[in-house]
Amino acid sequence: MKLRAQFLLNFTWLLVARLQFYYNVSYLLFALLGIILHPLYYTYHLLSVIFRYKKLVNVLQAISGPIVGIILTLLLFVIVQYIFSVITYVVYPEQMLDKACSKLLNCFVSTVDMTFKFDGGVGSSMDPIYKVDEEAKSVKLDLRRLFLDQLFTYILLVLLLQILAGLIIDKFGEIRESSERMEEELKCTCIMCGEKGDVIERKTGKTLEEHKQYSHNLWNYLFFIGYIKDKPKTELNGIESYVDDCFKQENISWLPYSLGEGMDEENKEEASRAKLKDILDTFKIPSDKMQAQIISFTLPQMILNYC
């Protein structure tokens, strides 16, 4: 009964702590809104493609990662737009189409609205920078307008947008490199001892898969943690108490990192090797309670990973 309650508690916590949970809730909510109110709400379900492909998730992470920099850049973008709208309102209010600059607020809203609607920015929605004098048969250029339009284009449409894109692209490249590096490490390295597959094969004569299966099996370590948590604290021996204290302090010094089987350097302390041997020997203790306990810890995560 206690084990079942702990399982339900762990499962509930893992469930509500995942972003996927809130997406599924919103998925259900929009489905109900589509049934009750209007089929338009079904379009939200198209976003499910994001969670089906890891690369699209990485794109979202590339946007959410540098979110502070993106927000500050957008804030600077709006401020610069406001500065240009003030200049337009003071100097060229009559040149905006449909008297959009009759008021400063209207001028600012029009500037924001027209920034990306025309290739040349706001200048494309204003009168031309040249005026034809039919009597003198000449063309008069407004150099101030020309300078203002070019400044608007280069600062807003080129510089700040490139900064914004650079933040996202850099983060996406960082996420991709990190993902590729992690996959390569998991494929070619023992995550328990940190040794490369070729080093393991050269020094022990075992393949990496054999080493992971029989020497440094990750599940053995998980079962050992479950065994310690299930065992009364007063019955723990010296090694088990040491590992229990390390686990509580989030200290991984008890793990055989850089101390793989058959790879000990001659100058390694004998005590470290003895301690490691004692820990590995402890893993072989059979216990039905240990298996049930570790299932209560790992099964919720396994269920969520496969859902």
Side-chain angles (χ1 to χ4, degrees):
M1 188 68 181
K2 179 181 178 182
L3 183 61
R4 181 179 300 178
Q6 186 174 7
F7 170 80
L8 292 176
L9 181 62
N10 291 340
F11 183 81
T12 303
W13 169 250
L14 289 172
L15 188 66
V16 300
R18 292 165 61 96
L19 179 62
Q20 182 73 27
F21 169 76
Y22 298 100
Y23 170 74
N24 290 336
V25 171
S26 65
Y27 202 87
L28 175 62
L29 177 62
F30 275 85
L32 294 176
L33 291 175
I35 295 174
I36 299 173
L37 299 179
H38 195 279
L40 177 64
Y41 290 99
Y42 291 138
T43 56
Y44 175 79
H45 297 153
L46 296 175
L47 295 177
S48 62
V49 68
I50 296 176
F51 292 91
R52 296 179 185 272
Y53 298 96
K54 186 177 180 180
K55 290 185 177 181
L56 291 180
V57 176
N58 290 341
V59 172
L60 289 182
Q61 292 177 346
I63 297 175
S64 61
I67 189 64
V68 176
I70 291 176
I71 292 176
L72 293 177
T73 303
L74 291 175
L75 179 61
L76 178 60
F77 193 92
V78 174
I79 291 174
V80 175
Q81 282 183 314
Y82 180 76
I83 292 174
F84 277 101
S85 65
V86 170
I87 295 175
T88 304
Y89 174 74
V90 173
V91 183
Y92 302 106
E94 73 285 349
Q95 294 192 17
M96 288 291 290
L97 297 179
D98 301 326
K99 297 182 179 180
C101 276
S102 58
K103 295 181 180 180
L104 180 57
L105 178 60
N106 295 342
C107 194
F108 173 65
V109 173
S110 299
T111 302
V112 174
D113 180 55
M114 298 177 181
T115 297
F116 299 104
K117 287 187 175 180
F118 301 94
D119 295 336
V122 177
S124 299
S125 63
M126 300 172 65
D127 294 339
I129 62 173
Y130 57 87
K131 293 183 179 180
V132 179
D133 190 345
E134 297 181 355
E135 296 181 357
K137 296 183 180 180
S138 62
V139 177
K140 183 178 180 180
L141 292 176
D142 189 342
L143 296 181
R144 290 190 306 174
R145 260 289 310 282
L146 176 63
F147 177 76
L148 181 65
D149 290 351
Q150 296 303 312
L151 202 62
F152 184 93
T153 301
Y154 289 127
I155 293 179
L156 284 175
L157 302 183
V158 177
L159 183 60
L160 289 181
L161 285 184
Q162 291 299 324
I163 293 175
L164 190 63
L167 290 173
I168 298 175
I169 293 174
D170 289 345
K171 186 62 178 181
F172 180 77
E174 179 183 337
I175 293 175
R176 183 180 60 184
E177 291 177 3
S178 177
S179 178
E180 292 177 352
R181 183 169 60 252
M182 182 179 298
E183 290 179 0
E184 184 67 20
E185 290 180 356
L186 291 176
K187 182 179 179 181
C188 304
T189 307
C190 173
I191 63 175
M192 299 308 303
C193 65
E195 294 289 354
K196 299 289 185 181
D198 56 343
V199 177
I200 293 174
E201 188 171 357
R202 184 173 64 253
K203 293 188 175 183
T204 67
K206 297 180 181 179
T207 64
L208 179 60
E209 294 301 323
E210 291 174 340
H211 176 81
K212 290 181 178 180
Q213 180 68 26
Y214 301 107
S215 299
H216 288 163
N217 193 315
L218 176 62
W219 284 102
N220 287 341
Y221 291 85
L222 291 175
F223 275 106
F224 181 59
I225 294 172
Y227 164 76
I228 291 177
K229 286 185 173 293
D230 179 68
K231 190 175 181 179
K233 302 303 180 183
T234 56
E235 299 180 9
L236 296 177
N237 59 32
I239 295 297
E240 294 168 351
S241 298
Y242 169 77
V243 175
D244 186 52
D245 292 338
C246 289
F247 188 75
K248 291 178 180 178
Q249 300 171 8
E250 298 184 356
N251 184 353
I252 63 171
S253 61
W254 66 280
L255 294 174
Y257 195 79
S258 297
L259 196 63
E261 179 189 19
M263 303 171 201
D264 305 356
E265 299 176 1
E266 293 182 357
N267 59 353
K268 294 286 186 181
E269 296 181 0
E270 190 66 23
S272 298
R273 290 197 296 267
K275 181 174 63 176
L276 174 63
K277 185 176 183 303
D278 290 339
I279 293 175
L280 293 176
D281 290 340
T282 307
F283 292 161
K284 301 177 182 179
I285 299 177
S287 172
D288 294 335
K289 287 186 176 181
M290 177 183 68
Q291 296 183 16
Q293 183 73 16
I294 198 64
I295 287 176
S296 72
F297 296 144
T298 59
L299 186 58
Q301 184 66 50
M302 292 170 61
I303 294 174
L304 292 174
N305 287 338
Y306 284 97
C307 286

